[in-house]
Amino acid sequence: MFSLTSADIDAIRLSAKVALAATVVSLPFGIAVAYVMSYCSFRGKTFVEVLLNLPLTLPPVVIGYLLLLLLGKKGWVGGLLDAAGIRIIFTWYAAVIASAAVGFPLLVRSIRIAMDSIDGRLIQASRTLGARWSDTLATVILPLSLRGIVAGSSLMFGRSLGEFGATIIVAGNIPGITQTIPLAVYDYVSAPGGEGAALALCLVSAGLSLLVLFFHEYLARRMARRD
Amino acid sequence: MFSLTSADIDAIRLSAKVALAATVVSLPFGIAVAYVMSYCSFRGKTFVEVLLNLPLTLPPVVIGYLLLLLLGKKGWVGGLLDAAGIRIIFTWYAAVIASAAVGFPLLVRSIRIAMDSIDGRLIQASRTLGARWSDTLATVILPLSLRGIVAGSSLMFGRSLGEFGATIIVAGNIPGITQTIPLAVYDYVSAPGGEGAALALCLVSAGLSLLVLFFHEYLARRMARRD
Amino acid sequence: MELRVRGAKTFGAFHLAADFTVEGNRIGIFGESGSGKSTLVNMLAGLERPDSGEILLDGEPLFAADRRINVPPERRRVALVFQHPHLFPHLSVRGNLLYGWKRCAMANRQVGLDDIVDVLKIGRLLDRGVTNLSGGEKQRVALGRALLSNPRLLLMDEPLSALDDTLRFQIIPYLRGACEALAIPYLFISHSLVEMRLMAERVIVFSQGCQVADTTPDALARNRMGDSPVGYINLLRLTDPCDNDGLISYAWGGTRLFLTAPPGEGELLFELSSKDMILCKKHPEAISARNLFHCTVIGIFEAGRKAGVELQCGTGRLVAEVAAEAARELELTVGSEVFAAVKASAFRRLG
Amino acid sequence: MELRVRGAKTFGAFHLAADFTVEGNRIGIFGESGSGKSTLVNMLAGLERPDSGEILLDGEPLFAADRRINVPPERRRVALVFQHPHLFPHLSVRGNLLYGWKRCAMANRQVGLDDIVDVLKIGRLLDRGVTNLSGGEKQRVALGRALLSNPRLLLMDEPLSALDDTLRFQIIPYLRGACEALAIPYLFISHSLVEMRLMAERVIVFSQGCQVADTTPDALARNRMGDSPVGYINLLRLTDPCDNDGLISYAWGGTRLFLTAPPGEGELLFELSSKDMILCKKHPEAISARNLFHCTVIGIFEAGRKAGVELQCGTGRLVAEVAAEAARELELTVGSEVFAAVKASAFRRLG
Amino acid sequence: GELNLSAAASLKDAINELSAVFVQKHPEVKIARNYGGSGVLAKQIEQGAPADLFISANPEWLDYLRERKLVESATIGTFAYNTLVFAGAAKQQAAGMNDLPKLRKIAVGSPRSVPAGEYALEAMRKAGIEKELAGKLVMAKDVREAMKYAELGEVDGAFVYRTDALLLGKQAKILFVVPEGLHGRVTYPLALTVAGAKKKEARGFLRFLRSVEAKRILVRYGFAVK
Ligand SMILES: Nc1ncnc2c1ncn2[C@@H]1O[C@H](COP(=O)(O)OP(=O)(O)OP(=O)(O)O)[C@@H](O)[C@H]1O
Ligand SMILES: Nc1ncnc2c1ncn2[C@@H]1O[C@H](COP(=O)(O)OP(=O)(O)OP(=O)(O)O)[C@@H](O)[C@H]1O
Ligand code: MOO
Ligand SMILES: [Mg+2]
Ligand SMILES: [Mg+2]
């Protein structure tokens, strides 16, 4: 019904790669941050809280600009990397970073909701049975917040698949290199008569997130408490 | 330090209004959908699941176009409303609908994580004490998923404050009428020398979400299990 | 109350097959761990759907597989006290207690908050949350919550196991009394034979998913000593309490009984197990038992290794049990005169 | 083991002030609901931080407010069986059981899975998840999990209240034996005086946050005899059963007792309530009670309206209870000789 | 009465001033302005969004509406012209199209969605350097973004409109004007919509836009008017 051009296929491959990379890279940080926010109390927690929510509240365009300023040649990080010969802007790494920035609050929030609902007695039980906090984290807290981790990851993956505003600014819209599905779709719908191709790409995108969803359900079912 | 023009103040007022309205309007639906997805099993559940996640996965631009097609004069819904003399496109209602569409998956997911972690025995207890399912929903399930509801609402509020891609398409970018903070910020950053004003608006936006966050924390603390 | 249960339920390797009819208001369910007791009460409360069969409460079907009837839990008016308290964490103790009460039709509200609070000794907890209550405090609140819902049938799944003896035996008479006064029949699950004897008039014994006996708590107690004879609970209606040098004396059968139980109003119902009576051929001159009746044997029946002895004491009648060997030795026959010794503490007040 | 606890903790209106030192390996904690028992064990396990004071286990400080020592729970090697099982829902029964075992240094692993599984009768559950276990099954797994962690001190907070009597009294000797064999000292919280007497050699009694007594389980039982509807429970270890004309006779205290209970292997544990004994000054010549001991009074204690009478019967000792009035009337004093009559059916086998 | 404008985003500043001047003369008129990409605007109009006057950044989208009979053919005209230039850091050595292959990165508007990008690509094709530049192009969402890249030094230069380049800060300047012959003329067409043609105010505003006064303002913003 719809035919995909090779550029489209590049976009699909890239989108999947970016979304996956953003999710995988963010996961450990997301878990760590959620753990700290759920179980530790420290000065300036509110400030961290605000910082964590900022990427959600700011328009993606702004995030894009901020990342551009940060990662650009003259930026703090970009300057250092530039000195080391590494360029981020206009590469697919930039798309990963943009997606990660935009999706991070979603990931952390999901994991926190799950962690907050773990029965504290179970944690205490594992401690009295000789588990250190890191051990308890790995063998009790993480398995019991798996639902939230999986849900958060799939939110993040989905959001990454749809991320447009920040990506187009830091990664550019370079076909075959940084043009993800949303950017390609934007291009299509901006020209008269591109609707069909745009729809095809959207369907693929929905299919990808469906895949992740099934994987999610599968995991949820596997870890469902046994009889 | 920064001075806000009257158009900026309009944008701020409008953004707050839109984000609040989107959150408030979506909340009952979000709760209902989360409840159904958590506690009922029916044919086609997977399909609904996919549908629910779609707005997350699709680029906001696409959502904007789809809403435009739906709510436009020739669209299903828009046609009906047009016959009734109601226009949605280019009004702040359109901005509310766009924000609601984009934030809905976040809301539902947060509430679901919370609902899934309610001890089934409590629900059973309330049933045996004479509560019908609607009563149980109101007096047990909702209070116990309040954390998730509040978290979801603040995610949704934050996302609404930052929503750009879908809003600009269905609501247009009309200063004083549909120009929300992200649209104004976009206008500023795309013109040279507008960075200061853009930054000011972003700070206001962050401030708004901070307010919601404090409200959230306050609620969370108030409903924290008492001694 | 008449309860008819015919239902099967399979969980993996575990198979429950209940098929019994009980009448009465104080039913006990007894059985080893994992025998299906909790599963049974869940089915009665409507929380677990039987695979097949039917459940009738006073003739009204709560569940009937063939007629596709499955009354939802909230319309059964069957309250359940779980093995664990399962209190609502977002409500205060008061909120928990009143949860069922508020949902109970005005006409059925026979028991109120104040009555319950006193008996369960939870007055000072009322405005607290439930999360940090001690184990026993939680269980008492759960009990109060179920009672305040004024149910038609109360199911209790080991409700007292978290309580200390003093509290337990303070609560039991009330629990039983309240249920009797309000005509709330109950099903009581317990591992404790003492509790069972105090709470139940009839016991269904479960083992591996099947009821293996339908008996009395007393018989069950003897059964568990490996003995089969049927016990007998003497019911005595005592009147006119007088304080009598530390003991209370009551009028009964033309004589006076001495009890340790505190006095009460009007006619009081006590039970005396046939186990708690010792028979002597001659008057034992100095005996610690505070009650010594001179009785006439009016009947003897065999019950396994034991003999049941029906006695006429004044105008009252009592049944005692003795070892068969003792019956021979004492040459008990109809018409023999014997002395029956009963300790002041052997009488148990009902209600 | 020597345990020194001096610690205070305040929760709103509740104030715990513990200050005691116990030596011994089998310590009981007894107290009414809400008296602070669970709070105490939480402090010992390191789950609740005392507001002040110190906790020393065998001289080693686990907590010392002034020295800012607060050993984290996992390094205390103090295992805790909670009032509720709190099993890990994501692990199988086996996974739960082995959780602590895997975290225990090789050198300390003295007890293994197989030993535990047999005794707790949970072999067929090993590969199941824990969510749908019955109440008793869960509690047994929790007990096994704690034992398998091979702790230096085992805290048990009403661990047996979800178990039926048979299982309970089967588990008790093992639990005690295992702890003794492995030299695991324990602190045992229970509401049951019988459990306490079987498990503890010394009891700390709590009331409203303070220890009010440091006593033996036996003394405690006597103390509370007056309030308890079941009286003081004498525990008898009987041996050498012989069938004896319908009854079973057992050897005890240099004499033989006649019981209706069927014979069993080895030494058997029975309970006899002080309420089931009747004392006579003179030999009642023909009496239905199958056991008549000639005893010497070796002690009398008051218990409310009743008197407890300690008797020496051959080499055995028993406690009977009589109305205070009866004690006077029978002129019971230390050294008096009395006859104690006990029915064959009054003995109850434990386990 | 009320007047609804839908105009390409790059015209924002000029139109803001134009409408301010018009409203001064006709205080009874209120003008609501909606700026966006031409495609978005066209689709909004197609779906019944209130618009009386449509100013597009390229003829395609106006044609799109004309085909659908949503604009009054008689009112179609040209609003203004623009000029494609190449802007970059002041120190950059690029004086013509043939110097471009020496540069490392060049920003253009995404050709499918940004008319300026399309013109730029056409110019590169005609100049015969399309292949050489293939890996060096960064496709920006719009002209302003391309300019921003140049300003920040992320790219060596960008194809932008003269009107945009005039707003550049000190970091960048116009390096050269792309020769007219290399691409079609950059035209902003305009038309009244069917609804707008019926409005007196709309016809009045259209007349004003064609006035000398309006053209003077447009020239000040860097547009060409003939
Ligand atoms: N949903 C379930 N899935 C699988 N097995 C179950 C389920 N519910 C109960 N069982 C099993 O059925 C058996 C009976 O359980 P039930 O809870 O009725 O026992 P119980 O008599 O109440 O025992 P206890 O005295 O220990 O509470 C147990 O072996 C239990 O593990
Ligand atoms: N975190 C807390 N906050 C407030 N009150 C508490 C907290 N923990 C315990 N309490 C109160 O302290 C008292 C002692 O509680 P604890 O759990 O130690 O009692 P317990 O002796 O174990 O009782 P039970 O036999 O009923 O389990 C109770 O009244 C309880 O409500
Ligand atoms: O809301 Mo966005 O800027 O289209 O990702
Ligand atoms: Mg059970
Ligand atoms: Mg406790």
Side-chain angles (χ1 to χ4, degrees):
Chain A
M1 184 168 121
F2 302 110
S3 63
L4 296 170
T5 68
S6 87
D8 292 345
I9 289 171
D10 280 349
I12 293 167
R13 195 175 299 136
L14 184 67
S15 255
K17 190 165 85 168
V18 167
L20 198 68
T23 308
V24 169
V25 169
S26 306
L27 207 50
F29 297 100
I31 291 171
V33 170
Y35 176 80
V36 169
M37 298 303 285
S38 282
Y39 293 104
C40 309
S41 56
F42 51 89
R43 279 163 142 275
K45 192 165 174 177
T46 315
F47 178 73
V48 176
E49 188 90 55
V50 173
L51 222 65
L52 278 176
N53 278 281
L54 218 53
L56 185 80
T57 309
L58 292 182
V61 197
V62 173
I63 297 176
Y65 272 110
L66 292 179
L67 286 177
L68 185 64
L69 293 177
L70 192 72
L71 300 174
K73 272 202 183 113
K74 297 172 191 162
W76 295 345
V77 181
L80 286 177
L81 290 175
D82 198 52
I86 303 169
R87 200 166 49 80
I88 300 282
I89 301 283
F90 303 146
T91 65
W92 75 280
Y93 300 119
V96 171
I97 292 174
S99 292
V102 170
F104 200 66
L106 306 182
L107 182 68
V108 172
R109 190 61 63 107
S110 291
I111 301 177
R112 275 185 70 182
I113 300 176
M115 282 190 179
D116 283 345
S117 61
I118 295 177
D119 182 355
R121 284 287 184 185
L122 292 177
I123 295 168
Q124 294 189 335
S126 88
R127 299 298 297 279
T128 61
L129 290 169
R132 276 191 287 178
W133 72 262
S134 54
D135 192 352
T136 301
L137 174 63
T139 57
V140 177
I141 297 178
L142 282 194
L144 290 180
S145 42
L146 208 55
R147 267 203 110 77
I149 294 175
V150 174
S153 305
S154 77
L155 277 185
M156 174 131 194
F157 187 88
R159 183 77 183 91
S160 299
L161 279 184
E163 216 308 297
F164 168 75
T167 309
I168 199 166
I169 292 179
V170 273
N173 182 9
I174 310 170
I177 300 179
T178 62
Q179 190 176 60
T180 56
I181 295 180
L183 307 193
V185 166
Y186 177 73
D187 264 9
Y188 276 124
V189 292
S190 313
E195 287 85 358
L199 187 59
L201 278 181
C202 284
L203 285 180
V204 171
S205 184
L208 274 179
S209 87
L210 182 64
L211 261 174
V212 169
L213 201 78
F214 277 141
F215 182 62
H216 170 177
E217 288 290 308
Y218 165 79
L219 273 186
R221 208 161 296 156
R222 268 210 48 179
M223 80 205 174
R225 297 150 183 187
R226 288 174 298 167
D227 75 314
Chain B
M1 185 167 120
F2 302 111
S3 61
L4 296 170
T5 68
S6 86
D8 291 347
I9 290 174
D10 280 350
I12 292 167
R13 197 174 300 136
L14 184 67
S15 256
K17 191 165 84 168
V18 167
L20 199 67
T23 309
V24 170
V25 168
S26 308
L27 206 49
F29 297 99
I31 291 172
V33 170
Y35 176 80
V36 169
M37 298 303 286
S38 281
Y39 292 105
C40 308
S41 55
F42 51 90
R43 278 164 142 275
K45 191 165 173 175
T46 315
F47 178 72
V48 176
E49 188 91 57
V50 173
L51 222 65
L52 277 175
N53 278 281
L54 218 53
L56 187 80
T57 310
L58 292 182
V61 196
V62 173
I63 295 174
Y65 271 111
L66 292 178
L67 284 177
L68 188 64
L69 291 178
L70 193 71
L71 300 174
K73 268 204 186 112
K74 300 174 194 159
W76 294 345
V77 181
L80 286 178
L81 290 175
D82 196 51
I86 303 169
R87 192 168 49 81
I88 301 280
I89 303 261
F90 278 19
T91 64
W92 74 280
Y93 300 118
V96 172
I97 293 173
S99 292
V102 170
F104 201 66
L106 306 181
L107 183 68
V108 172
R109 190 60 64 108
S110 290
I111 301 178
R112 276 184 70 182
I113 300 175
M115 282 190 178
D116 284 345
S117 61
I118 295 178
D119 182 354
R121 282 289 183 185
L122 293 177
I123 294 168
Q124 295 189 337
S126 87
R127 298 299 298 279
T128 61
L129 291 169
R132 275 190 288 178
W133 72 262
S134 54
D135 192 352
T136 301
L137 174 63
T139 58
V140 177
I141 298 179
L142 283 193
L144 291 180
S145 42
L146 208 54
R147 266 203 111 78
I149 294 176
V150 173
S153 303
S154 76
L155 277 185
M156 173 129 194
F157 187 88
R159 182 77 181 93
S160 298
L161 279 183
E163 214 310 298
F164 168 76
T167 308
I168 200 169
I169 293 179
V170 270
N173 183 9
I174 309 171
I177 301 179
T178 61
Q179 189 176 60
T180 56
I181 295 181
L183 306 191
V185 166
Y186 175 70
D187 270 8
Y188 276 125
V189 292
S190 54
E195 286 85 356
L199 186 59
L201 278 181
C202 286
L203 285 180
V204 172
S205 184
L208 275 178
S209 87
L210 182 64
L211 261 174
V212 169
L213 201 79
F214 277 141
F215 182 62
H216 171 177
E217 287 290 308
Y218 165 79
L219 274 186
R221 210 160 295 155
R222 268 209 48 179
M223 80 204 173
R225 298 153 183 186
R226 287 174 300 165
D227 74 314
Chain C
M1 177 208 58
E2 197 206 52
L3 180 68
R4 161 109 194 91
V5 178
R6 186 169 57 77
K9 181 92 202 170
T10 301
F11 289 125
F14 174 75
H15 186 67
L16 175 80
D19 187 356
F20 61 86
T21 308
V22 275
E23 252 172 279
N25 291 329
R26 301 188 275 121
I27 312 298
I29 308 269
F30 194 88
E32 78 266 22
S33 175
S35 58
K37 306 179 297 297
S38 300
T39 307
L40 178 72
V41 293
N42 280 340
M43 289 188 342
L44 294 180
L47 300 177
E48 198 84 77
R49 201 192 137 93
D51 295 336
S52 64
E54 59 177 1
I55 299 172
L56 278 80
L57 181 57
D58 291 328
E60 187 197 316
L62 297 181
F63 175 82
D66 44 5
R67 281 182 287 165
R68 297 179 175 279
I69 294 177
N70 189 12
V71 180
E74 70 272 18
R75 285 203 277 118
R76 295 194 178 193
R77 284 190 62 216
V78 171
L80 174 52
V81 180
F82 295 91
Q83 232 165 336
H84 295 300
H86 295 297
L87 299 178
F88 300 123
H90 58 297
L91 298 180
S92 66
V93 168
R94 188 194 305 277
N96 270 281
L97 287 171
L98 291 178
Y99 192 90
W101 188 79
K102 287 184 190 153
R103 282 161 182 78
C104 166
M106 207 56 96
N108 296 325
R109 285 190 193 164
Q110 310 203 30
V111 61
L113 186 62
D114 297 338
D115 315 322
I116 295 287
V117 159
D118 282 353
V119 176
L120 298 177
K121 298 198 197 310
I122 45 182
R124 66 185 179 82
L125 305 177
L126 277 182
D127 293 310
R128 281 183 55 184
V130 299
T131 320
N132 292 323
L133 294 182
S134 81
E137 289 165 346
K138 280 184 185 160
Q139 197 59 33
R140 280 179 276 162
V141 176
L143 212 51
R145 183 175 67 173
L147 276 173
L148 277 169
S149 78
N150 291 281
R152 191 161 60 145
L153 171 63
L154 178 62
L155 307 172
M156 294 181 276
D157 195 350
E158 302 179 38
L160 306 176
S161 57
L163 303 180
D164 56 289
D165 280 0
T166 314
L167 203 55
R168 188 197 321 247
F169 291 113
Q170 277 167 4
I171 288 178
I172 284 179
Y174 165 76
L175 197 59
R176 187 168 149 165
C179 290
E180 236 155 58
L182 304 172
I184 302 177
Y186 57 76
L187 237 80
F188 184 85
I189 297 185
S190 175
H191 289 128
S192 152
L193 279 167
V194 180
E195 276 180 24
M196 205 48 107
R197 283 179 61 190
L198 293 175
M199 288 294 292
E201 60 191 9
R202 214 164 140 196
V203 182
I204 312 259
V205 182
F206 263 77
S207 179
Q208 296 177 4
C210 301
Q211 76 272 22
V212 291
D214 176 351
T215 171
T216 64
D218 231 56
L220 177 66
R222 273 188 286 276
N223 230 336
R224 285 175 54 79
M225 286 189 289
D227 212 300
S228 51
V230 180
Y232 190 89
I233 295 290
N234 294 289
L235 287 175
L236 298 89
R237 282 168 204 288
L238 308 186
T239 50
D240 184 25
C242 295
D243 204 308
N244 213 298
D245 194 16
L247 295 179
I248 311 297
S249 79
Y250 289 85
W252 176 78
T255 166
R256 288 194 80 79
L257 302 183
F258 293 85
L259 276 69
T260 50
E265 298 279 301
E267 199 186 69
L268 296 171
L269 189 65
F270 283 84
E271 63 173 43
L272 172 64
S273 164
S274 58
K275 258 183 85 172
D276 290 333
M277 300 172 68
I278 288 185
L279 304 184
C280 309
K281 195 75 184 165
K282 299 196 181 139
H283 191 288
E285 268 157 48
I287 189 163
S288 66
R290 288 298 82 194
N291 299 288
L292 197 63
F293 309 115
H294 189 187
C295 331
T296 312
V297 176
I298 53 173
I300 293 189
F301 55 91
E302 265 202 46
R305 281 172 169 177
K306 291 188 183 175
V309 185
E310 257 185 289
L311 303 169
Q312 181 79 42
C313 317
T315 58
R317 283 179 177 213
L318 291 171
V319 172
E321 61 172 70
V322 299
E325 188 201 34
R328 278 198 304 281
E329 215 177 283
L330 298 181
E331 295 163 339
L332 292 181
T333 48
V334 173
S336 334
E337 308 252 306
V338 291
F339 291 89
V342 181
K343 302 192 69 152
S345 57
F347 297 88
R348 264 197 309 272
R349 168 127 161 239
L350 301 179
Chain D
M1 177 208 56
E2 196 205 53
L3 180 67
R4 161 109 194 92
V5 178
R6 186 169 58 78
K9 181 91 202 170
T10 301
F11 289 126
F14 175 75
H15 186 67
L16 176 81
D19 187 357
F20 61 86
T21 308
V22 275
E23 254 173 276
N25 291 330
R26 300 187 276 124
I27 313 297
I29 308 268
F30 192 86
E32 78 267 24
S33 175
S35 58
K37 307 179 298 294
S38 299
T39 307
L40 178 73
V41 293
N42 281 341
M43 290 187 342
L44 294 179
L47 300 178
E48 197 82 77
R49 201 192 139 93
D51 295 335
S52 63
E54 59 177 4
I55 298 172
L56 278 81
L57 180 58
D58 292 327
E60 187 196 317
L62 297 181
F63 175 82
D66 46 3
R67 280 182 287 166
R68 298 178 172 280
I69 294 176
N70 188 13
V71 180
E74 70 272 18
R75 283 203 279 119
R76 293 193 179 194
R77 284 189 62 215
V78 171
L80 174 51
V81 180
F82 295 92
Q83 231 164 335
H84 295 299
H86 295 298
L87 300 177
F88 300 122
H90 57 297
L91 298 180
S92 65
V93 168
R94 187 193 306 277
N96 269 281
L97 287 171
L98 291 178
Y99 192 92
W101 189 80
K102 286 184 191 153
R103 282 160 183 79
C104 166
M106 207 57 96
N108 296 325
R109 285 190 196 165
Q110 309 203 32
V111 61
L113 187 62
D114 297 338
D115 316 320
I116 295 286
V117 160
D118 281 353
V119 176
L120 298 177
K121 299 199 194 315
I122 45 182
R124 67 185 177 85
L125 304 176
L126 276 183
D127 293 311
R128 280 184 55 185
V130 298
T131 319
N132 292 324
L133 294 183
S134 82
E137 288 165 348
K138 280 185 186 161
Q139 196 59 32
R140 280 179 275 163
V141 176
L143 212 52
R145 181 176 69 172
L147 276 172
L148 278 168
S149 78
N150 292 279
R152 189 162 60 144
L153 171 62
L154 177 62
L155 307 173
M156 294 180 274
D157 195 350
E158 302 178 38
L160 306 176
S161 56
L163 303 179
D164 59 288
D165 281 1
T166 315
L167 203 55
R168 187 197 323 246
F169 293 112
Q170 277 169 4
I171 288 179
I172 285 179
Y174 165 77
L175 197 60
R176 186 170 148 165
C179 290
E180 236 155 57
L182 305 170
I184 301 178
Y186 57 79
L187 238 78
F188 184 85
I189 297 186
S190 175
H191 289 127
S192 152
L193 281 167
V194 178
E195 276 179 23
M196 202 49 103
R197 288 172 60 203
L198 293 173
M199 288 294 292
E201 61 191 8
R202 216 167 138 192
V203 182
I204 312 258
V205 182
F206 263 78
S207 178
Q208 296 177 2
C210 300
Q211 76 273 23
V212 291
D214 177 350
T215 172
T216 64
D218 207 58
L220 177 66
R222 286 178 199 189
N223 227 327
R224 303 181 64 85
M225 187 181 77
D227 305 327
S228 165
V230 291
Y232 174 92
I233 302 292
N234 292 289
L235 294 173
L236 296 90
R237 285 169 204 284
L238 308 186
T239 50
D240 185 23
C242 296
D243 205 308
N244 211 300
D245 191 16
L247 296 179
I248 313 298
S249 78
Y250 289 85
W252 175 78
T255 165
R256 288 194 82 80
L257 302 183
F258 293 86
L259 275 69
T260 50
E265 296 279 300
E267 198 186 70
L268 296 172
L269 188 65
F270 284 83
E271 64 172 40
L272 172 63
S273 165
S274 58
K275 289 176 82 168
D276 289 335
M277 300 173 68
I278 289 187
L279 304 186
C280 308
K281 196 77 188 167
K282 301 199 177 138
H283 191 289
E285 267 157 49
I287 189 164
S288 65
R290 289 298 82 194
N291 298 287
L292 196 63
F293 309 114
H294 188 187
C295 329
T296 312
V297 176
I298 54 171
I300 292 190
F301 56 93
E302 268 198 46
R305 282 174 167 172
K306 301 175 193 169
V309 185
E310 253 186 291
L311 303 168
Q312 183 79 43
C313 317
T315 59
R317 284 178 176 212
L318 292 173
V319 171
E321 65 172 75
V322 299
E325 190 201 33
R328 277 197 304 281
E329 215 178 282
L330 298 182
E331 295 162 341
L332 294 179
T333 47
V334 173
S336 335
E337 308 251 305
V338 290
F339 291 90
V342 182
K343 302 190 69 148
S345 59
F347 297 88
R348 207 158 81 83
R349 166 118 165 247
L350 299 179
Chain E
E2 183 157 306
L3 182 54
N4 297 299
L5 273 183
S6 277
S10 48
L11 299 172
K12 186 180 161 209
D13 295 325
I15 293 203
N16 276 348
E17 186 170 344
L18 286 169
S19 34
V21 170
F22 181 75
V23 168
Q24 226 166 29
K25 290 188 190 150
H26 307 270
E28 77 284 0
V29 179
K30 264 195 71 194
I31 302 182
R33 289 145 296 184
N34 177 38
Y35 300 108
S38 307
V40 170
L41 298 177
K43 295 228 165 105
Q44 286 170 339
I45 291 170
E46 185 186 3
Q47 292 303 324
D52 301 317
L53 178 64
F54 174 50
I55 310 179
S56 173
N58 63 2
E60 284 169 52
W61 285 111
L62 197 76
D63 291 343
Y64 179 85
L65 290 183
R66 198 191 45 207
E67 281 162 23
R68 286 163 179 73
K69 305 220 160 31
L70 293 167
V71 293
E72 208 42 67
S73 310
T75 60
I76 294 178
T78 299
F79 172 66
Y81 301 98
N82 214 338
T83 316
L84 192 66
V85 301
F86 187 80
K91 58 179 194 322
Q92 210 64 247
Q93 306 295 317
M97 292 296 280
N98 296 331
D99 294 335
L100 293 185
K102 284 187 288 193
L103 303 181
R104 281 173 307 151
K105 284 269 178 226
I106 293 165
V108 295
S110 184
R112 250 190 298 208
S113 52
V114 185
E118 208 181 328
Y119 294 126
L121 226 63
E122 196 184 337
M124 286 182 246
R125 203 178 307 123
K126 290 234 175 89
I129 52 174
E130 191 192 13
K131 291 235 165 57
E132 286 165 272
L133 292 180
K136 301 190 170 182
L137 297 183
V138 172
M139 311 294 185
K141 182 164 53 126
D142 48 42
V143 174
R144 297 268 163 99
E145 198 184 305
M147 223 167 75
K148 191 125 241 153
Y149 290 149
E151 237 178 331
L152 288 173
E154 299 301 338
V155 296
D156 296 328
F159 284 97
V160 299
Y161 290 136
R162 174 195 292 279
T163 51
D164 298 309
L166 287 180
L167 302 170
L168 280 173
K170 292 182 209 65
Q171 279 88 357
K173 61 162 204 207
I174 295 177
L175 295 177
F176 62 87
V177 175
V178 181
E180 287 260 338
L182 291 182
H183 60 82
R185 188 144 195 220
V186 183
T187 314
Y188 294 84
L190 89 180
L192 289 180
T193 62
V194 176
K198 294 188 189 105
K199 273 196 191 170
K200 189 163 71 47
E201 299 87 354
R203 289 197 304 271
F205 189 64
L206 184 63
R207 229 176 295 123
F208 168 71
L209 290 183
R210 292 186 172 138
S211 69
V212 180
E213 187 183 6
K215 298 217 156 127
R216 247 203 328 271
I217 294 171
L218 283 173
V219 170
R220 194 144 45 74
Y221 278 94
F223 290 100
V225 291
K226 35 179 198 298

